[in-house]
Amino acid sequence: MSSTQATAAAIPQDHATETEEQRLRAVSRQVPTGVAVLTAAHEGTVHGATVSTACVVSQRPLTISISLRRESFMTQLISQSRQFEVNVLSSRQALLADWFANPQRPAGLRQFDHVKWETDDESGVPVLRDCLARLTCRLSDQVLVGDADALLVATVVSAQTGPGRPLVNFAGHLHDVEFRDVVRRQGWRVPSPPAGLE
């Protein structure tokens, strides 16, 4: 047996698996995502929570998915109310992302005391002002994912946009971004890929 094989044999299998999972999670942080605050209300209870997992999964009808911890307060509230708002944050709202991710913030309406917000007339859900976009969503499905998560699938029933640039989560940090047009070759829709793609 070589020294390499002996070292590999000495590493417990569960430790090796955990190390690989950590590596995969580290790589997954290289996938940039937008940042949003979910808001929901049910029978007088309101709540907000920062997420970076909102994703459009279908255009017709417009459908989004959001991954949340299965036992989180937000998951339970949305499961009861069947509706929520996705407040897509602009790059000028990083403090809001931090605030609604802070487990020490007050509960209920008090967590909105120092935030610019209003109540949606139809749903009664708090909505944040000055966001890059706002999507009013109706829960259509909930799928258990992995050991502890739930994938919430929802139809977008209305939406609004605002000015600004997106707040982006990348490599574990929040970023502002500046968009620039990229050079694209004409005629890219051809049967065979053009040479020299970069």
Side-chain angles (χ1 to χ4, degrees), residues 15-75:
H15 177 74
T17 302
E18 180 180 349
T19 301
E20 177 62 10
E21 289 179 353
Q22 291 173 345
R23 187 190 72 81
L24 293 176
R25 286 196 295 270
V27 173
S28 74
R29 295 188 184 99
Q30 300 301 109
V31 179
T33 57
V35 182
V37 171
L38 302 186
T39 49
H42 182 66
E43 296 182 350
T45 300
V46 299
H47 190 56
T50 301
V51 299
S52 58
T53 58
C55 177
V56 175
V57 294
S58 179
Q59 293 288 340
R60 295 183 179 153
L62 185 58
T63 305
I64 66 168
S65 69
I66 298 168
S67 177
L68 294 173
R69 287 293 180 185
R70 196 177 304 168
E71 301 300 327
S72 72
F73 187 74
M74 179 59 81
T75 301

Side-chain angles (χ1 to χ4, degrees), residues 91-109:
S91 59
R92 304 181 68 176
Q93 296 177 305
L95 288 178
L96 283 179
D98 291 339
W99 175 247
F100 284 102
N102 183 353
Q104 303 301 319
R105 70 189 183 281
L109 274 176

Side-chain angles (χ1 to χ4, degrees), residues 40-42 68-84 139-144 150-152:
H42 182 66
L68 294 173
R69 287 293 180 185
R70 196 177 304 168
E71 301 300 327
S72 72
F73 187 74
M74 179 59 81
T75 301
Q76 303 305 314
L77 193 62
I78 292 175
S79 297
Q80 294 170 343
S81 67
R82 312 295 296 181
Q83 58 190 2
F84 59 95
L139 185 66
S140 57
D141 200 2
Q142 186 169 331
V143 182
L144 301 184
L151 189 69
L152 307 184

